[in-house]
Amino acid sequence: MTTTEKLFVQIFDRKKRITEQVKQRTDLYRQRLASKILLDGYNPPHWLWNRNFNSESSVPLGVFFSFSDNSFYRYGDKLPAVDVFVCTADPTMEPPTMVISTVLSVMSYNYPPDKLSVYLSDDGGSGFTFYALLEASRFSKYWTPFCKKFSVEPRSPAAYFAQNSKPEDPKVAKECLAVKKLYEEMKSRIESAIEKGGISKDIRDQHKGFSEWNSEVTKQDHQSIVQILIDRRNLDAVDDDGHQLPTLVYVARENRPHFPHNFKAGSMNSLVSSLWFLPFAYVYAARNACSIAEALACGDTLKAWWNSQRMWNFRRMTSYLFAFINTITRQLGFSQSAFSITAKVVDDDALERYEEGTMEFGTSSVMFTIIATLALLNFFGFTVGILKIIWRYGFAEGLTVQIGLCLVVVVINLPVYQALFLRDNNGRIPSSVMFKSLVLASLACLIPVY
């Protein structure tokens, strides 16, 4: 059998495996869809039943229940306590009204309120964000029961009220209008305070938490701030219908100039030194373990799996960017799609590299210029960052996550570095691409960052 015939055999074998996987996923989707229709009180059409359908039963075998529909009622007493963090860093880039809509949607989860705590982690340490959260804590007394009473979706008030559709039931429409009015009034008060550039004394007197903000507090220099706005242990922490509300907490970590920090969501990033890091590590490890097992079961090698993970990152850096630019330019009428004719013949050397799992570059594509530039930029940043930590601060435990993430990116880009500097075959990155990437990465390093 020739090398070309072997290649075609491999292609058709992989096609068969992919077809089987698609069929399995299609069956799973049909089961989920049938289950959803059944839970809504309707009989699903016969073509949605899975292959294990029992004709003597009125329900399919293996019905799947979504959490929001069923788990609360089935396992309410056994569900674990959950802490949900909503992160923000800049009230200008992330308007407080948008942030609190996210908070309110989380507070309205169909989850036992005595087991739900919501934290707004504000790395900007903004008094405006705190004020917005204070307003949200009051509005939640009306929004939360409204969502649960009428099964509102989506549960973000900003998204819900932005919809053009209106409830058909007059009773629901009347209550919806009343809640919308409260939301608009809350939003207006928050935006008015931001436009004035300060929070009035009348508002500041409403909560002791405003005492944390004085003339010396800035985004880059402030103490740790923790304010509990709703404490579910308090008997008064109930909504308008008398039902308990989840705990709501404002958190701003300490931020001081001349000290390394944990960047956005720093309070959460600092969990590397805590046992709370273990669940996150477990989920990450379990997900990758399942992915590896699935790849090996399909006949792939460990190296092929690792390369596929790399390709996901390369795709995000290039194809998504190209698609975005192409869509914008087409909408503006500036350009039209065109095709570049490329060689479709695979030589023996390229086939050998493919079988070895070696990534192929070899052309002067702008895609490779972007990939190489970002890979070099990350390597420069990682190297300089390590040197600065050693020379200026010593090893900073709080930066463990950032250093680890940069190292992961360096490892992901190892084939790029090899193709730039070490490989001497036709699959290496051309010298022209290497030169352009070095120049672009070097220029990017000269841009001051504040």
Side-chain angles (χ1 to χ4, degrees):
M1 185 180 292
T2 65
T3 54
T4 303
E5 291 174 336
K6 290 180 180 178
L7 180 60
F8 276 107
V9 169
Q10 293 177 359
I11 291 173
F12 283 109
D13 184 52
R14 178 160 294 188
K15 177 183 177 183
K16 181 180 178 181
R17 293 198 300 268
I18 293 174
T19 302
E20 291 176 351
Q21 291 178 2
V22 171
K23 187 175 181 181
Q24 292 175 359
R25 293 182 181 274
T26 302
D27 290 341
L28 180 62
Y29 174 76
R30 286 179 175 177
Q31 280 188 326
R32 291 183 181 275
L33 184 57
S35 302
K36 177 63 177 174
I37 295 175
L38 190 67
L39 288 170
D40 288 339
Y42 301 97
N43 289 323
H46 66 88
W47 51 268
L48 273 182
W49 300 116
N50 63 22
R51 66 183 66 178
N52 295 322
F53 173 64
N54 182 354
S55 59
E56 298 179 357
S57 173
S58 59
V59 296
L61 299 179
V63 173
F64 291 86
F65 295 94
S66 65
F67 168 79
S68 60
D69 287 332
N70 204 51
S71 295
F72 173 75
Y73 302 102
R74 296 172 66 191
Y75 308 111
D77 295 335
K78 300 179 181 179
L79 292 173
V82 174
D83 294 333
V84 180
F85 281 80
V86 177
C87 302
T88 184
D90 190 331
T92 303
M93 300 296 294
E94 300 167 321
T97 52
M98 177 187 70
V99 174
I100 63 171
S101 282
T102 303
V103 171
L104 287 164
S105 68
V106 175
M107 293 182 69
S108 303
Y109 279 173
N110 192 13
Y111 203 85
D114 60 320
K115 296 184 178 182
L116 178 62
S117 297
V118 184
Y119 298 83
L120 177 59
S121 178
D122 179 19
D123 277 5
S126 169
F128 293 120
T129 303
F130 174 74
Y131 170 55
L133 192 66
L134 176 62
E135 288 280 3
S137 69
R138 297 165 177 168
F139 177 68
S140 66
K141 296 181 179 181
Y142 307 97
W143 176 249
T144 301
F146 174 72
C147 288
K148 295 181 178 179
K149 184 177 181 180
F150 300 109
S151 300
V152 168
E153 293 292 345
R155 299 199 173 187
S156 162
Y160 178 73
F161 292 127
Q163 298 178 137
N164 293 325
S165 59
K166 297 181 180 179
E168 296 180 359
D169 189 328
K171 182 179 179 181
V172 179
K174 181 180 179 181
E175 193 160 344
C176 176
L177 188 62
V179 175
K180 182 178 181 180
K181 181 181 178 182
L182 292 174
Y183 171 72
E184 294 293 346
E185 291 174 350
M186 175 191 69
K187 183 178 177 182
S188 177
R189 289 192 296 269
I190 296 171
E191 292 177 345
S192 176
I194 295 175
E195 289 176 1
K196 293 177 181 177
I199 299 173
S200 66
K201 186 178 183 302
D202 292 339
I203 295 177
R204 295 176 67 90
D205 290 340
Q206 295 176 11
H207 197 280
K208 63 179 182 179
F210 285 108
S211 62
E212 298 280 3
W213 283 269
N214 53 48
S215 58
E216 298 179 357
V217 171
T218 65
K219 178 181 178 180
Q220 292 79 20
D221 189 0
H222 61 80
Q223 74 283 6
S224 298
I225 303 174
V226 178
Q227 291 292 326
I228 302 177
L229 298 179
I230 299 179
D231 188 348
R232 62 172 180 249
R233 298 170 299 181
N234 191 331
L235 296 178
D236 295 331
V238 294
D239 61 29
D240 196 43
D241 289 345
H243 299 133
Q244 187 177 14
L245 286 169
T247 295
L248 180 62
V249 183
Y250 174 90
V251 180
R253 64 182 176 86
E254 182 180 16
N255 197 347
R256 302 297 184 187
H258 311 303
F259 286 94
H261 59 85
N262 296 300
F263 304 95
K264 184 175 180 180
S267 301
M268 296 175 64
N269 291 340
S270 63
L271 291 175
V272 295
S273 59
S274 167
L275 291 177
W276 281 104
F277 173 70
L278 295 179
F280 297 96
Y282 169 77
V283 171
Y284 178 79
R287 182 185 69 83
N288 284 287
C290 291
S291 178
I292 292 173
E294 185 180 47
L296 295 178
C298 292
D300 284 338
T301 63
L302 191 61
K303 186 175 183 180
W305 172 85
W306 182 229
N307 282 338
S308 70
Q309 307 306 306
R310 289 184 166 118
M311 288 306 301
W312 276 108
N313 287 277
F314 294 160
R315 182 181 300 178
R316 294 186 185 101
M317 292 186 291
T318 55
S319 60
Y320 294 169
L321 174 63
F322 293 151
F324 173 75
I325 295 175
N326 184 59
T327 300
I328 296 299
T329 54
R330 287 180 61 186
Q331 291 295 324
L332 296 176
F334 292 152
S335 67
Q336 295 181 350
S337 299
F339 293 95
S340 297
I341 306 301
T342 57
K344 300 299 187 293
V345 178
V346 180
D347 58 32
D348 291 339
D349 291 338
L351 180 60
E352 183 179 353
R353 290 192 292 271
Y354 170 78
E355 292 176 344
E356 292 175 352
T358 302
M359 300 188 74
E360 189 78 10
F361 297 93
T363 60
S364 300
S365 169
V366 65
M367 177 180 72
F368 295 146
T369 303
I370 295 174
I371 292 175
T373 300
L374 293 177
L376 290 171
L377 184 60
N378 184 80
F379 181 77
F380 293 161
F382 174 72
T383 304
V384 173
I386 289 291
L387 294 177
K388 282 186 176 181
I389 288 175
I390 294 175
W391 290 341
R392 295 186 183 182
Y393 311 116
F395 183 75
E397 183 180 359
L399 291 177
T400 303
V401 171
Q402 285 73 29
I403 295 172
L405 289 176
C406 286
L407 180 60
V408 168
V409 176
V410 169
V411 173
I412 289 174
N413 285 299
L414 280 179
V416 180
Y417 304 136
Q418 293 171 351
L420 281 169
F421 306 113
L422 301 179
R423 289 170 58 177
D424 57 0
N425 52 43
N426 292 332
R428 72 185 305 273
I429 292 179
S431 301
S432 59
V433 174
M434 179 183 68
F435 176 75
K436 287 186 287 187
S437 301
L438 283 170
V439 171
L440 291 173
S442 300
L443 290 175
C445 290
L446 298 177
I447 299 176
V449 178
Y450 298 98

